[in-house]
Amino acid sequence: MENEKTKLTYGQSWKLNLRAWKIWWKLCPSIFYSTLASSIVKAVTPYVTIFLSAQIINELAGSRRAEELTKWVVLTLFCAAGCTLLQGVFSRWANYEKTSACHMDGQIYMKKMLSLDYADVDRQAVFDLYSQINQNTQWAGWGVNRTLDYFEELVMAIVQVMGGIGLSISLFLLKVPQESSLAFVNHPLFAAGMVGFMLLIAIIAPLCSNQSNRYWVSYSSQAKLGNRFFSFFGFMCAYSERMADVRIYQQQEKVCKPYLERDNSFKPGSDISRYAKGPMGLWVALSQCITALLTGVVYAFVCVKAWAGAFGVGSVTQYVGAITQLFQGISRLLQIIGEMRANGEFLQTSFQFLDIPNRMYQGSLTTEKRSDRNYEVEFRDVSFRYPDTDQWVLRHVNIKFRVGSRLAVVGMNGSGKTTFIKLLCRLYDPTEGEILLNGINIRKYRYDEYIRIFSVVFQDFKLFALPLGENVAGSAEYDRERVKKCLSDAGFSQRLESLPKGLDTYLYKDLKEDGVDISGGEAQKIAIARALYKDAPFIILDEPTAALDPIAEAEIYSRFNNIVTDKTAIYISHRLSSCKFCDEIAVFHEGEIVQKGTHDELVADTAGKYYELWNAQAQYYTE
Ligand code: ADP
């Protein structure tokens, strides 16, 4: 087997399973109650039937007393009906709980994803782990979800073993008459040998079947890349926004097909299919043969004892049934333990992801809720490199924002403007230097409080396929009048009037057939309205008018003061004409602030970067 991983010990995999159960227990303890009840009833039911039928046959083959027979028949009927009823009720309950749990499985990872340091969300290694978990779940259900099945199977197997021992122990204790030529079966060593032999067979069978599972584990890392191709190219058509590109560039033929053809992870000639046809299949077949052998041995032993006169014919059915169940229980137990070990390796990946630590310092200071919105922010000699990279993206940035002022950040693509904003919002911590809010390092504030003072419209903002009003408010409950006001300030009032259901109109058609598709410019206005609704003391707009037509853009600027009111505004743009009205302009170049000042001051410096950028754009308008 290629890519063989270091095998986990049974102890290690048991610990991993326990941890997964603890997660489920916290999320939904009723899964365990319902599964416990349903598994016990499922495991006990066959024994009830086996025991009662044996009594009926014994009576029939023996004294044949009518009232005894009636008693056993009625009891059998009642017990069988009762068990079936209980089984139905508990299985439904357990199924209901398990189906709900399937949805929770995704939430476990989603919660973690949302609590990760933002710097980690971006990292390839983290993305890799996350998609590996999804891959494991999707291709054969491996991972945290699977542990619920193991709980059910374990309970069943344990009850099955206990019930089997209870009903079959007398088989070994009852003796054939001493005068019988088969009296040697009474010898304790014979009984012990028989038990030992049966146990051996019962152990070997699941071990063979577990060998087969090992191939899944070994193949998981081998199939990693293929699974990614498959997940991406196989489901690409689900993304309608890609469809135009796919058609124009015929990507389905030229890009997707070759990748899918080149990778054969899941095709008939793949390694896993060879394993399945070869060793995996052989191990499973061997396991089945051994189980059949076990049944034969059980029959032989019971029949020999009955024939020699140790017990009646009714007991034959009881012992054969009970012993078969007992060894099935043992087999099941061992098989589950083996599967738990295989699954342990998948759980390791899950926990590796869930254990990613939060390295960012979590402060405890509250940001005072100042009615005067008198917040002051300072970047003090801030330099920054993205995690796992060597390149300085910001270098020795020093800047202080005056409260209530409008700051424009300009510069060429890649000069570090967006990164500057990400540091301000503490999505990343500076590599060197510090950022201060009212003289205190922002790391010392509680992050949830700190983030409340910013409204940001990022360049690559995203809206939900939910009603317009909920998108703006970021909540299902909201103040409709305030939402309308924000939409109007963002220049969306005319479009709002044309929407069939006003604020209740769904955006996009993902969730509602009568949802509306909106243009990039309209989406940008909604995103601006969302920032306004948050009503934070700082409003940050990263290329807020990039998708707007010139009229909409002019409209936004003419109302910029209404939009921003007394907030501190930071405004990123490479359209310099739109920055003229700002109190201060910071010019970024290759990660440094190379100039600062008002438009008039900066444009007067003919040797400066601002002048160069200004002229580069101005020539198209003046020529
Ligand atoms: P601007 O907003 O001025 O266009 P950015 O701040 O987006 O510039 O990017 C500045 C530099 O940082 C660019 O060279 C970009 O490639 C790099 N960069 C941006 N995001 C990341 C990231 N997540 N990881 C590594 N490098 C990044």
Side-chain angles (χ1 to χ4, degrees):
M1 274 188 273
E2 291 110 294
N3 293 319
E4 182 90 46
K5 290 186 189 175
T6 343
K7 279 187 192 175
L8 282 176
T9 63
Y10 285 107
Q12 286 167 327
S13 60
W14 177 252
K15 272 191 198 150
L16 290 166
N17 268 277
L18 270 183
R19 186 173 162 191
W21 286 337
K22 273 188 201 152
I23 292 178
W24 285 121
W25 177 256
K26 264 200 201 150
L27 274 176
C28 182
S30 45
I31 298 177
F32 290 90
Y33 298 131
S34 59
T35 310
L36 195 68
S38 131
S39 318
I40 291 177
V41 174
K42 244 192 246 172
V44 163
T45 301
Y47 289 121
V48 172
T49 325
I50 289 169
F51 175 75
L52 292 172
S53 325
Q55 305 316 310
I56 295 173
I57 298 171
N58 271 340
E59 192 59 37
L60 280 171
S63 332
R64 301 169 66 92
R65 288 162 297 175
E67 63 282 13
E68 272 298 296
L69 267 175
T70 318
K71 184 185 91 186
W72 286 119
V73 169
V74 171
L75 200 60
T76 308
L77 285 176
F78 267 105
C79 290
C83 286
T84 312
L85 189 71
L86 283 180
Q87 217 173 309
V89 171
F90 289 139
S91 319
R92 267 182 178 263
W93 179 26
N95 280 345
Y96 166 79
E97 298 290 353
K98 266 169 85 180
T99 314
S100 326
C102 282
H103 302 292
M104 284 182 214
D105 188 38
Q107 279 179 33
I108 297 172
Y109 302 111
M110 199 168 78
K111 254 191 187 164
K112 178 66 189 177
M113 209 44 153
L114 288 173
S115 71
L116 279 178
D117 289 345
Y118 184 80
D120 282 329
V121 176
D122 255 8
R123 278 175 48 219
Q124 161 70 17
V126 174
F127 171 75
D128 221 40
L129 269 179
Y130 185 60
S131 56
Q132 180 77 54
I133 291 167
N134 282 331
Q135 169 190 313
N136 295 343
T137 314
Q138 278 159 17
W139 80 331
W142 297 108
V144 173
N145 213 359
R146 185 59 84 83
T147 56
L148 287 178
D149 295 339
Y150 297 146
F151 178 75
E152 180 179 7
E153 296 277 329
L154 270 184
V155 174
M156 272 186 70
I158 291 169
V159 176
Q160 218 174 354
V161 170
M162 290 188 336
I165 293 175
L167 281 193
S168 59
I169 199 143
S170 52
L171 163 69
F172 299 95
L173 301 179
L174 289 172
K175 297 195 177 343
V176 302
Q178 278 311 324
E179 60 277 14
S180 163
S181 57
L182 294 168
F184 65 92
V185 298
N186 288 337
H187 198 284
L189 272 183
F190 185 83
M194 220 42 220
V195 172
F197 183 62
M198 288 182 201
L199 266 179
L200 191 69
I201 299 178
I203 289 169
I204 293 174
L207 287 186
C208 292
S209 142
N210 288 343
Q211 278 306 314
S212 172
N213 277 331
R214 294 285 321 151
Y215 286 84
W216 282 109
V217 178
S218 74
Y219 194 62
S220 73
S221 45
Q222 201 180 323
K224 200 161 143 181
L225 190 63
N227 208 37
R228 294 269 174 82
F229 285 148
F230 180 74
S231 306
F232 179 70
F233 292 123
F235 298 100
M236 201 173 61
C237 298
Y239 309 110
S240 54
E241 65 274 15
R242 283 191 180 274
M243 286 301 99
D245 276 355
V246 170
R247 276 153 213 243
I248 301 287
Y249 297 102
Q250 297 176 340
Q251 290 169 330
Q252 73 275 27
E253 281 300 313
K254 294 182 182 162
V255 183
C256 316
K257 217 168 143 195
Y259 267 103
L260 287 176
E261 276 173 2
R262 223 176 300 150
D263 185 86
N264 83 335
S265 314
F266 303 103
K267 288 188 186 152
S270 65
D271 281 350
I272 193 72
S273 76
R274 282 195 296 106
Y275 296 152
K277 277 194 285 185
M280 280 171 93
L282 283 177
W283 281 117
V284 172
L286 190 60
S287 158
Q288 300 287 333
C289 292
I290 293 171
T291 309
L293 176 69
L294 174 71
T295 315
V297 172
V298 171
Y299 268 90
F301 181 59
V302 174
C303 290
V304 163
K305 277 196 106 167
W307 186 57
F311 39 76
V313 66
S315 302
V316 172
T317 50
Q318 172 177 324
Y319 293 135
V320 167
I323 283 216
T324 313
Q325 287 286 319
L326 167 64
F327 286 106
Q328 265 179 18
I330 294 174
S331 275
R332 191 192 285 245
L333 199 61
L334 295 172
Q335 195 169 336
I336 297 307
I337 291 170
E339 272 199 37
M340 281 166 75
R341 186 180 179 197
N343 193 45
E345 313 215 13
F346 296 101
L347 284 178
Q348 262 186 326
T349 312
S350 301
F351 293 140
Q352 221 177 319
F353 175 75
L354 294 175
D355 288 341
I356 296 173
N358 288 87
R359 278 177 280 257
M360 277 176 99
Y361 179 80
Q362 299 296 322
S364 55
L365 289 183
T366 54
T367 51
E368 315 141 60
K369 292 194 182 65
R370 308 181 67 127
S371 54
D372 57 358
R373 294 180 175 248
N374 205 355
Y375 292 100
E376 185 185 73
V377 174
E378 181 184 356
F379 274 59
R380 198 177 280 172
D381 200 22
V382 169
S383 297
F384 180 69
R385 280 191 303 231
Y386 277 98
D388 309 327
T389 64
D390 301 328
Q391 191 200 342
W392 288 103
V393 172
L394 291 179
R395 209 69 186 118
H396 305 299
V397 171
N398 286 290
I399 193 165
K400 210 174 197 172
F401 315 145
R402 277 179 283 127
V403 180
S405 65
R406 282 107 176 81
L407 170 74
V409 176
V410 302
M412 301 204 305
N413 284 340
S415 56
K417 304 183 296 293
T418 303
T419 307
F420 169 73
I421 297 304
K422 287 185 174 165
L423 290 190
L424 175 61
C425 300
R426 220 191 150 205
L427 293 178
Y428 299 92
D429 277 335
T431 317
E432 289 172 9
E434 54 180 357
I435 304 170
L436 310 168
L437 172 72
N438 294 348
I440 298 171
N441 192 320
I442 58 171
R443 287 155 48 93
K444 299 198 173 140
Y445 291 102
R446 279 181 50 165
Y447 186 67
D448 56 342
E449 288 231 355
Y450 178 72
I451 206 67
R452 260 184 230 149
I453 65 173
F454 297 102
S455 280
V456 192
V457 180
F458 285 111
Q459 267 182 67
D460 49 358
F461 64 87
K462 291 276 179 287
L463 299 176
F464 287 117
L466 288 174
L468 170 64
E470 290 183 24
N471 262 292
V472 173
S475 150
E477 304 286 320
Y478 60 90
D479 177 343
R480 295 180 78 87
E481 285 315 308
R482 202 148 77 78
V483 166
K484 280 187 194 159
K485 165 93 175 52
C486 295
L487 282 167
S488 154
D489 285 342
F492 196 80
S493 47
Q494 235 178 336
R495 182 75 172 100
L496 177 61
E497 277 163 27
S498 73
L499 292 177
K501 292 185 182 166
L503 295 181
D504 301 316
T505 311
Y506 272 76
L507 302 186
Y508 315 112
K509 297 193 187 297
D510 304 36
L511 300 179
K512 277 274 181 187
E513 221 173 283
D514 62 356
V516 293
D517 279 318
I518 46 170
S519 70
E522 288 165 345
Q524 199 155 34
K525 288 177 183 174
I526 297 171
I528 293 174
R530 181 173 64 182
L532 295 179
Y533 189 90
K534 188 174 174 188
D535 194 26
F538 282 81
I539 181 156
I540 302 169
L541 308 171
D542 191 350
E543 294 289 354
T545 56
L548 300 186
D549 59 54
I551 295 177
E553 186 182 355
E555 205 187 326
I556 289 274
Y557 293 134
S558 68
R559 265 190 281 116
F560 201 73
N561 277 337
N562 286 353
I563 292 178
V564 168
T565 59
D566 61 343
K567 300 176 179 69
T568 305
I570 302 174
Y571 176 71
I572 303 182
S573 180
H574 45 233
R575 239 176 271 187
L576 300 195
S577 57
S578 58
C579 303
K580 273 164 68 172
F581 62 90
C582 289
D583 306 314
E584 186 172 33
I585 301 172
V587 184
F588 274 69
H589 185 58
E590 294 177 354
E592 292 182 41
I593 297 184
V594 290
Q595 280 182 293
K596 251 187 291 187
T598 61
H599 170 74
D600 292 336
E601 287 164 6
L602 293 173
V603 87
D605 179 1
T606 52
K609 189 76 193 165
Y610 188 83
Y611 181 83
E612 182 194 328
L613 294 170
W614 175 259
N615 266 351
Q617 284 184 345
Q619 59 173 315
Y620 295 109
Y621 300 108
T622 50
E623 265 170 17

